Amino acid sequence: MFVSPNDGAIDASGFLNSTTGFLPVPILITEPAVGYGGGLAIAYFHKKRDDKEAKGLSPTVSVLAGALTENGTWLAAIAHQGSYAKDRIRYLGFFGYLAPKLAVYFGPNDILEGKFNFDLNGFATMHEVLYRVKKEIPFFAGANYTFFTNTVKFDTGINIPEFETFERDTNLAGMNASFLWDSRDNSFTPTKGIMSGLEIGRFATYFGGDTNFWSISSRTYAYVPIASKLFSGYRLNVASKTGDVPFYALPDISLRGIPMMRYQGANSYTIETEWRWNLYKRWSVVGFVGMGEAMKDYSQLGKDIKAAGGCGFRYLLAEDYGLHVGIDVARGPEIWAWNLTVGSNWFR
């Protein structure tokens, strides 16, 4: 089940298409914001790629995962992504307990200035349902709901016992109208097509939260084959939030080589391109570069651009699913970073 009948190479397609159908995925965490760590995800593939009706559809997968990092960050979660009624309906949801230990960076216009450590501990869940508006067109519309109840413990850096830490129980809850265009040829490692999503939402006390703010975000990933063995990808993410936004929910620059939450603002954008060359049989090399900004408002556009880039390799692990895995090494404005990639680096 782990050898391809086509080329005799190591391939997990037969295993995923079997009655067992699950894929153990080692989690190697190299995110600089939380330190090195690891865990395990068990993914179960419900629709097999040897099933004629399943071919070409968005995959239906259930995942059970847990992970721990060197700074004490940990998580446990169960998630499900489903495609139903021949891809007329899509569902995405998860339940999890998250306990990240992160850092936030405040600027001169904030109450405090500098880097400050904080902990989050709490239960999170998200559920999204999308409906394909017309059978022949890959356009979906729907809604999603997010809820996160957590305890925030903040290290102020003030050397006075009663002010050294700040702790508060808080809830974050909101609902988004969600619109998606998805013409990709593959959900794991696409080679052509476009996925473009738009979310417009309200986070408010009447949804179960403690704060009120508006949120709008968009993501567009375009994939263009250049030659038979050369593929290019282009990414644009834009996000804006206005109102009483918790500091840990502010938009940030999301690039390989930049730690999570390193650059935050009420508005942010990220632009990136990635190129993959199928060098030899199942092996490919990739190169990528991107830039972004986090701003208080768009009048600051172009004044504080951050860039990152790097390279890596991929191996086609499951031919029937178009699933590639590999490792990337990236350099940002301040640090080097590396990460294990399963499928695409570009996701929600």
Side-chain angles (χ1 to χ4, degrees):
M1 291 191 293
F2 293 97
V3 176
S4 170
N6 299 323
D7 59 7
I10 295 174
D11 188 285
S13 299
F15 181 68
L16 299 180
N17 289 329
S18 69
T19 54
T20 306
F22 67 87
L23 176 67
V25 181
I27 301 174
L28 295 179
I29 300 174
T30 58
E31 167 59 49
V34 297
Y36 291 110
L40 182 66
I42 305 295
Y44 179 77
F45 290 72
H46 297 263
K47 294 180 179 179
K48 316 306 179 189
R49 281 300 186 262
D50 58 358
D51 179 349
K52 184 177 180 180
E53 285 195 356
K55 288 185 180 292
L57 299 184
S58 178
T60 298
V61 185
S62 295
V63 179
L64 178 66
L68 174 69
T69 75
E70 61 181 341
N71 80 341
T73 292
W74 67 275
L75 66 87
I78 183 170
H80 180 77
Q81 173 183 287
S83 169
Y84 305 99
K86 297 184 179 180
D87 208 28
R88 291 301 297 269
I89 298 172
R90 291 185 182 182
Y91 168 80
L92 176 66
F94 78 88
F95 294 92
Y97 193 92
L98 313 177
K101 296 179 182 292
L102 296 165
V104 64
Y105 297 78
F106 294 128
N109 296 323
D110 297 310
I111 297 176
L112 298 173
E113 182 178 359
K115 176 184 176 182
F116 298 91
N117 298 318
F118 71 94
D119 299 353
L120 293 178
N121 284 275
F123 168 80
T125 187
M126 190 282 291
H127 303 274
E128 178 179 76
V129 177
L130 297 175
Y131 177 75
R132 186 189 290 256
V133 177
K134 194 172 182 180
K135 184 178 180 180
E136 299 80 12
I137 300 175
F139 176 70
F140 299 79
N144 61 59
Y145 174 77
T146 300
F147 179 76
F148 182 28
T149 178
N150 70 97
T151 300
V152 180
K153 187 176 181 181
F154 194 85
D155 183 359
T156 67
I158 300 174
N159 195 22
I160 302 174
E162 57 267 35
F163 297 108
E164 190 171 1
T165 59
F166 170 80
E167 188 170 328
R168 179 185 175 187
D169 294 330
T170 180
N171 294 335
L172 182 71
M175 182 167 284
N176 290 291
S178 184
F179 306 93
L180 178 70
W181 176 277
D182 189 1
S183 63
R184 296 172 300 168
D185 63 341
N186 182 277
S187 297
F188 293 108
T189 310
T191 60
K192 63 180 179 179
I194 295 174
M195 188 188 83
S196 185
L198 173 67
E199 293 185 351
I200 304 171
R202 176 68 171 169
F203 288 73
T205 54
Y206 49 79
F207 285 126
D210 295 331
T211 59
N212 298 287
F213 62 92
W214 291 95
S215 173
I216 180 169
S217 64
S218 68
R219 63 193 187 278
T220 298
Y221 312 137
Y223 302 90
V224 181
I226 304 300
S228 61
K229 294 187 177 184
L230 181 63
F231 307 93
S232 66
Y234 309 88
R235 166 194 175 207
L236 172 63
N237 288 62
V238 181
S240 295
K241 294 182 179 180
T242 179
D244 186 15
V245 187
F247 71 90
Y248 57 84
L250 286 168
D252 66 346
I253 301 173
S254 174
L255 284 171
R256 283 164 281 186
I258 294 181
M260 183 190 310
M261 299 180 64
R262 176 60 184 92
Y263 305 104
Q264 288 183 285
N267 308 279
S268 75
Y269 73 85
T270 301
I271 299 172
E272 188 178 18
T273 183
E274 179 179 284
W275 292 61
R276 180 172 64 85
W277 178 34
N278 186 195
L279 181 64
Y280 178 73
K281 293 185 177 180
R282 291 173 174 255
W283 294 93
S284 301
V285 292
V286 299
F288 51 90
V289 64
M291 69 177 194
E293 283 186 278
M295 307 156 285
K296 183 178 180 181
D297 56 65
Y298 283 99
S299 66
Q300 300 173 335
L301 189 66
K303 295 181 179 179
D304 193 19
I305 296 173
K306 306 298 181 183
C311 60
F313 72 87
R314 298 288 184 273
Y315 178 79
L316 179 56
L317 181 63
E319 186 175 17
D320 288 357
Y321 293 79
L323 175 62
H324 292 243
V325 300
I327 292 176
D328 293 329
V329 178
R331 173 67 188 184
E334 301 170 347
I335 64 166
W336 286 92
W338 68 277
N339 63 283
L340 174 70
T341 298
V342 179
S344 174
N345 267 289
W346 300 347
F347 49 89
R348 300 177 64 88

